[in-house]
Amino acid sequence: MKIITVLSCLCVLSTSFASYANDAPFAIAIHGGAGTIQQSSFTPEKEQAYRLKLKEAVDAGYVVLEKGGTSLDAVAQAINVLENSPFFNAGIGAVYTHNEQHEMDASIMDGNTMKAGAVAGVKHIKNPIDLARLVMDKSVHVMLYGEGAEEFALTQGVALVANETFDTPHRYESLQHAKEKMLKSQSENKDYIASHNELEVEYKVGTVGAVALDKQGNISSGTSTGGMTNKRYGRIGDSPIIGAGTYAENGVCAVSATGHGEYFIRYHVAGDICARVKYQNKSIIQAADEVINQRLITAGGTGGVIAIDHRGNIATPFNTDGMYRATRKSGEEAQVMIWRDK
Ligand code: ASP
């Protein structure tokens, strides 16, 4: 008799837990980079194609969350869609280095466990975000770079691909323009730093990322990038740096950044936003706006972030012309935006 009572109690408990979990809010936001995204350079067909790809990415993550999957899986799935598209500066479509190669950075963070994984300067990994996840799950480290990261990939059964896999004609053209502009500045007696500083923002930005809240209340974030056009000397940006380009902490916030990485590293952008939420009780909307539209602007740093909190509130501030982005909350349709108001 007692056993039956206990069993039926357990049954009621598990049913109510399951229905609680099923009704729990969930949400996802993604970005495909911030920068000089001029409306005039978009044909209606091109704009439509970008919007469809952003929707595909946010929906891919949403489906994972809807089925009760983890925010980590949702983030990785959404980022995979963007990495596999030539439209964005990550995976296929990554920008070219000075030596006409592609060197990619990525990171992922689990707000539930505070675990994180990152890779930097990888050249032969089709989906760098997946390798970052493996670093988190299957290594004793947080960040691996270059050949070592690829050696680790092999131990995990990840196949290496040719660097040419990531080639696209539009990024190659962009590299040639960046080189010409820098040579012109140098012929006017400007040094490397001055001529690099003169390069327009479009050569310094472009990245993909995602943040998500799952039905279990866990938040995560991830970021993947080809970095900066014409980069040299093994330059690594903010995207693989926890606290700069990516951060997640349950009950606080999860952030993925896109922008001029040197500023995002020095201003500790993702960590700063979450610190404002945690220690100053600010909403993510206010905290993210303060960092992107006040602190970074004063410093001269361009870019934006996507941020989410444990209630599913989402902030997407940017201080550039546009930021490719999409959001979707439980029970709602996807919202896809490129410019400030559409
Ligand atoms: N933050 C990236 C980097 O500096 C680029 C970007 O997000 O646009 O490598």
Side-chain angles (χ1 to χ4, degrees), residues 204-207 225 227-228 235 237-239 257-261:
K204 298 172 183 165
V205 299
T207 279
T225 190
M228 200 181 256
R235 181 264 185 191
D238 60 309
S239 306
T258 166
H260 190 163

Side-chain angles (χ1 to χ4, degrees), residues 82-135:
L82 301 168
E83 286 177 332
N84 294 341
S85 160
F87 295 164
F88 307 101
N89 175 17
I92 295 165
V95 296
Y96 285 81
T97 63
H98 187 75
N99 296 335
E100 308 197 344
Q101 293 226 312
H102 310 277
E103 291 174 5
M104 294 160 289
D105 307 330
S107 66
I108 193 162
M109 185 160 186
D110 178 357
N112 182 31
T113 59
M114 296 293 287
K115 283 184 167 181
V119 292
V122 292
K123 296 186 186 172
H124 306 100
I125 304 295
K126 183 165 174 279
N127 292 105
I129 196 71
D130 295 344
L131 186 57
R133 177 92 185 260
L134 284 169
V135 172

Side-chain angles (χ1 to χ4, degrees), residues 220-251:
S220 307
S221 60
T223 311
S224 181
T225 190
M228 200 181 256
T229 304
N230 202 22
K231 64 185 180 181
R232 298 178 87 165
Y233 313 123
R235 181 264 185 191
I236 290 169
D238 60 309
S239 306
I241 299 180
I242 299 304
T246 300
Y247 189 75
E249 182 174 345
N250 264 15

